[in-house]
Amino acid sequence: DFAARSFNLAGGSIRSIAVTAAYLAAAADRPVAMADLMRATLREYRKLGRLIHESEFGPWLDAARG
């Protein structure tokens, strides 16, 4: 719910976020967590050249920054 309400992204970006989050979790040998999704979203924002707004990431901004 949080991510769907907070981020306005196209389907390709959503897919990229999901794949990146899966790789992050696999590298740590654990299931995908919300922190992985937020970190992947931050990476996607940077790829797209979008500004990072605390209002979008809310309480997950620190987790996204790793």
Side-chain angles (χ1 to χ4, degrees):
D1 273 349
F2 172 80
R5 285 187 314 245
S6 298
F7 305 108
N8 184 18
L9 295 161
S13 293
I14 294 168
R15 181 186 183 283
S16 179
I17 290 166
V19 170
T20 300
Y23 277 114
L24 290 169
D29 195 30
R30 57 175 170 65
V32 174
M34 185 67 162
D36 298 315
L37 291 167
M38 293 298 101
R39 192 169 298 124
T41 301
L42 186 75
R43 288 182 182 188
E44 186 67 14
Y45 263 42
R46 288 181 177 150
K47 255 181 17 185
L48 297 170
R50 292 178 67 172
L51 295 175
I52 309 302
H53 295 283
E54 185 175 351
S55 62
E56 288 180 300
F57 284 84
W60 292 101
L61 185 59
D62 287 338
R65 290 184 170 152

